[in-house]
């Protein structure tokens, strides 16, 4: 059944009733020409039907009939019987900045159980969102994908009250690449006052790229397309050719550069003025409660990819650069000596280096600046591929977060099927969802205080598994050897 028309700043829209929840899908918040800043869509007067997901952002597997200008849409799920303004969860999807979309996350279950208003968004992906061409005179600005998310946040702030949401109680949330976007977006002056909490699940270790590295990527892509002498032609290059060139450049970057990163938010000095971690460290965001999470075996998925993901080589290279070959060998020896029976020591070392330790470092910065922060690790193996065969690897928490208990949901863009959950899946997912919704509602993940906040000198790590439990972060031989190597590598120690 269709809903009544809801007014927005662009024009009225109608959605569909889904039981106790109203859903509005494919709501246009902006349009954008290739390599141009997003702008508001043309206004309309007659109610527009928003009952189906909008166009996917162009990405591998969805390039032949992609609609570049119309992919900037968002989706809203809101309880039908809300009697007060509800907190809002604003979710930015992951996918290595190349794949995914809001359509992979049906928020009706979370909306009903919050109760809360759930928003998922699309943003431009791959070269369309992250190729930085400003220095080449081809764009009016860089960080276009981040500006897309800011435009979506602006739309939510201006319109969500009409859908039962509280514009003064918005939580930024994201997973993987989306978590990197959350960390960057939270520090933008333009976002100030438009959110009050933030959740970042499995943010990559390096959340920001340098402008020089981004410029080098742009130059390599123009060379790959043989457009160095006429770079403006890139605006009309067919999408399959553009994305194929980016893939070739990415493979070479992994072998030739220390950073190896192809896409991500860029410290351009215009949109992103400062390194986000510095903003957290100086206390500018001390009033923003923060939840940082990761999965126990993050790197397994990337080791098992064919070929193994580029981040495997670049992470090892970065550790060797920081501590020397002897330091790398010492670390690996400790990991082998302390490995669980089912653990790959090499994978565990890389997971700590690229995922877990950077998240803990950010938690320390925020806590030291006076901010409230909670740190978690997801140790449960969902009975759903690829986790059934790979364990609690990257995305295991995300699968449980969006589950419609007792079922995992389908992921149509990534072409992953859902399926029935085991009792253990249901137990862990219910706790994870409950904690997240409490955080979205109150700014604390556990109102019983069974999960203490992270603080200087007291660094609790919540483990989502069976049973849920808390462990000290800074214990064990692995922590000690990292600390010793880090101390030894300081410039004053070397001198």
């Amino acid at each position: 059944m269709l809903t009544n028309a809801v007014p927005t700043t662009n024009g009225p829209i109608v959605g569909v009733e889904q039981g106790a929840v109203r859903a509005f899908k494919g709501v246009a918040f902006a349009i954008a020409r290739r390599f141009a800043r997003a702008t508001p869509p043309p206004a309309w007067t007659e109610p527009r039907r928003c009952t189906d997901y909008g166009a996917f952002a162009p990405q591998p597997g969805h390039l032949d009939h992609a609609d570049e200008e119309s992919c900037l849409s968002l989706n809203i799920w809101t309880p039908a019987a809300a009697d007060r303004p509800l907190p809002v969860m604003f979710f930015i999807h992951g996918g290595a900045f190349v794949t995914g979309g809001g359509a992979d996350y049906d928020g009706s279950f979370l909306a009903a159980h919050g109760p809360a208003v759930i928003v998922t968004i699309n943003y431009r992906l791959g070269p369309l969102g992250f190729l930085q061409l400003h220095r080449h005179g081809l764009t009016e600005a860089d960080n276009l994908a981040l500006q897309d998310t800011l435009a979506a946040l602006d739309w939510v702030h201006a319109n969500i009250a009409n859908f039962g949401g509280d514009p003064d109680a918005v939580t930024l949330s994201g997973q993987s690449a989306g978590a990197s976007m959350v960390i960057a977006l939270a520090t933008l002056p333009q976002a100030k006052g438009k959110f009050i909490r933030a959740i970042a699940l499995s943010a990559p270790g390096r959340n920001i790229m340098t402008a020089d590295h981004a410029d080098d990527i742009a130059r390599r892509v123009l060379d790959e397309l043989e457009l160095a002498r006429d770079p403006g032609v890139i605006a009309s290059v067919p999408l399959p050719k553009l994305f194929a060139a980016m893939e070739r450049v990415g493979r070479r970057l992994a072998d030739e550069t220390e950073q190896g990163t192809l896409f991500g938010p860029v410290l351009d000095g215009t949109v992103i003025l400062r390194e986000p971690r510095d903003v957290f460290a100086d206390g500018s965001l001390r009033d923003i409660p923060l939840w940082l999470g990761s999965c126990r075996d993050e790197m397994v998925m990337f080791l098992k990819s064919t070929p193994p993901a580029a981040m495997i080589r670049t992470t090892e290279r970065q550790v060797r650069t920081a501590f020397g070959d002897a330091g790398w060998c010492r670390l690996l020896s400790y990991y082998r000596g302390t490995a669980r029976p089912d653990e790959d020591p090499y994978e565990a070392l890389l997971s700590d280096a690229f995922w877990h330790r950077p998240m803990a470092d950010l938690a320390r910065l925020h806590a030291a600046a006076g901010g409230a922060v909670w740190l978690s690790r997801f140790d449960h193996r969902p009975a759903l591929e690829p986790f059934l065969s790979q364990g609690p690897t990257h995305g295991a928490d995300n699968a449980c977060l969006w589950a419609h208990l007792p079922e995992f949901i389908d992921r149509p863009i990534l072409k992953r099927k859902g399926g029935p959950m085991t009792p253990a899946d249901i137990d862990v997912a219910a706790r994870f969802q409950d904690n997240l919704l409490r955080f979205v509602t109150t700014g604390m993940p556990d109102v019983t205080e069974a999960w203490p906040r992270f603080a200087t000198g007291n660094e609790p790590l919540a483990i989502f598994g069976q049973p849920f439990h808390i462990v000290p972060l800074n214990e064990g031989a692995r922590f000690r050897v990292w600390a010793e190597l880090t101390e030894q590598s300081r410039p004053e120690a070397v001198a």
Side-chain angles (χ1 to χ4, degrees):
M1 181 176 71
L2 295 179
T3 67
N4 293 328
V6 177
T8 76
T9 49
N10 305 119
I13 64 173
V14 296
V16 65
E17 299 277 355
Q18 293 182 346
V21 172
R22 296 180 298 154
F24 302 83
K25 300 177 181 178
V27 182
F29 66 83
I31 57 173
R33 294 178 293 103
R34 186 183 295 188
F35 301 132
R37 183 185 286 115
T39 58
W44 59 86
T45 56
E46 292 299 315
R48 177 173 290 185
R49 186 166 176 151
C50 293
T51 57
D52 296 303
Y53 293 114
F56 300 159
Q59 58 191 279
H62 300 284
L63 292 176
D64 292 340
H65 305 289
D67 187 343
E68 292 185 54
E69 296 189 9
S70 301
C71 67
L72 297 181
S73 65
L74 53 79
N75 315 293
I76 304 166
W77 290 268
T78 180
D83 58 359
R84 66 188 189 283
L86 295 174
V88 180
M89 176 177 147
F90 179 94
F91 182 77
I92 306 173
H93 71 82
F97 306 105
V98 179
T99 62
D104 265 354
Y105 304 93
D106 185 317
S108 58
F109 188 86
L110 290 176
H113 285 76
V117 176
I118 309 297
V119 178
T120 69
I121 70 167
N122 286 355
Y123 55 93
R124 280 173 285 181
L125 300 169
L128 302 180
F130 295 96
L131 189 59
Q132 312 296 304
L133 296 169
H134 186 56
R135 291 189 181 184
H136 296 268
L138 299 180
T139 58
E140 56 189 4
D142 283 335
N143 278 304
L144 292 176
L146 189 62
Q147 294 195 68
D148 293 345
T149 65
L150 182 61
L153 182 62
D154 288 342
W155 190 98
V156 166
H157 193 258
N159 292 283
I160 206 66
N162 295 337
F163 297 86
D166 183 349
D168 296 321
V170 174
T171 297
L172 298 182
S173 61
Q175 185 263 344
S176 191
S180 285
M181 301 283 275
V182 164
I183 292 169
L185 183 63
T187 68
L188 299 188
Q190 305 96 307
K192 186 176 178 61
K194 296 171 185 174
F195 71 100
I196 62 171
R197 305 177 184 109
I199 302 170
L201 302 176
S202 296
R206 293 196 173 189
N207 294 298
I208 202 78
M209 290 170 54
T210 67
D212 287 343
H213 182 64
D215 188 50
D216 178 51
I217 293 171
R219 178 187 56 77
R220 288 168 179 258
V221 171
L222 291 170
D223 288 345
E224 184 69 22
L225 292 168
E226 300 180 345
L227 296 178
R229 294 186 177 181
D230 192 9
V233 175
I234 195 171
S236 58
V237 170
L239 288 177
K241 184 177 180 180
L242 177 60
F243 273 74
M246 293 296 305
E247 184 178 355
R248 293 192 297 272
V249 168
R251 287 198 297 267
R252 287 198 292 273
L253 273 172
D255 295 326
E256 298 172 8
T257 69
E258 179 182 338
Q259 189 163 356
T261 306
L262 189 59
F263 297 127
V266 175
L267 185 61
D268 61 346
T270 303
V271 179
I272 302 179
L273 302 176
R274 300 172 58 199
E275 162 65 54
R277 288 173 183 263
D278 292 342
V279 180
F280 280 94
D282 72 12
S284 298
L285 297 172
R286 67 168 60 90
D287 295 331
I288 304 298
L290 182 64
W291 176 351
L292 300 171
S294 58
C295 296
R296 188 190 71 190
D297 303 335
E298 290 276 3
M299 245 357 160
V300 169
M301 175 181 292
F302 303 100
L303 276 167
K304 291 183 177 295
S305 62
T306 307
M311 71 174 70
I312 301 298
R313 298 194 299 278
T314 57
T315 302
E316 178 177 339
R317 190 157 59 232
Q318 288 160 10
V319 176
R320 287 181 181 272
T321 298
F323 302 140
D325 291 342
W328 166 265
C329 292
R330 184 181 172 196
L331 274 170
L332 189 55
S333 175
Y334 268 84
Y335 276 75
R336 286 170 174 160
T338 56
R340 303 184 315 272
D342 63 342
E343 182 179 54
D344 176 347
Y346 180 68
E347 179 278 325
L349 195 167
L350 294 178
S351 288
D352 278 351
F354 191 83
W355 305 95
H356 303 142
R357 290 180 57 79
M359 284 290 90
D361 288 342
L362 181 57
R364 292 187 183 103
L365 292 176
H366 195 51
V373 57
W374 288 264
L375 190 67
S376 70
R377 194 181 75 203
F378 198 86
D379 282 19
H380 175 67
R381 177 197 299 261
L384 175 77
E385 290 297 349
F387 315 109
L388 192 59
S389 57
Q390 296 182 6
T393 187
H394 189 68
D397 52 355
N398 209 36
C400 288
L401 170 58
W402 294 94
H404 290 192
L405 277 54
E407 298 280 333
F408 291 111
I409 64 170
D410 293 343
R411 303 280 297 280
I413 300 177
L414 295 184
K415 299 177 181 177
R416 290 185 184 173
K417 284 290 187 182
M421 303 174 77
T422 66
D425 291 334
I426 294 169
D427 174 68
V428 176
R431 183 181 292 273
F432 195 69
Q433 291 178 346
D434 286 349
N435 275 268
L436 181 133
L437 289 169
R438 287 172 183 166
F439 185 85
V440 167
T441 301
T442 70
M444 294 179 59
D446 193 323
V447 296
T448 67
E449 298 186 1
W451 176 3
R453 60 189 275 184
F454 197 93
T456 302
N458 178 29
E459 300 184 344
L461 175 68
I463 304 297
F464 283 90
Q466 281 196 307
F468 172 85
H469 59 288
I470 307 294
V471 299
L473 178 66
N474 54 351
E475 279 192 352
R478 293 179 180 181
F479 175 84
R480 289 192 295 273
V481 73
W482 276 104
E484 291 170 6
L485 289 170
T486 300
E487 183 62 30
Q488 292 168 9
S489 67
R490 295 184 191 279
E492 56 271 24
V494 173

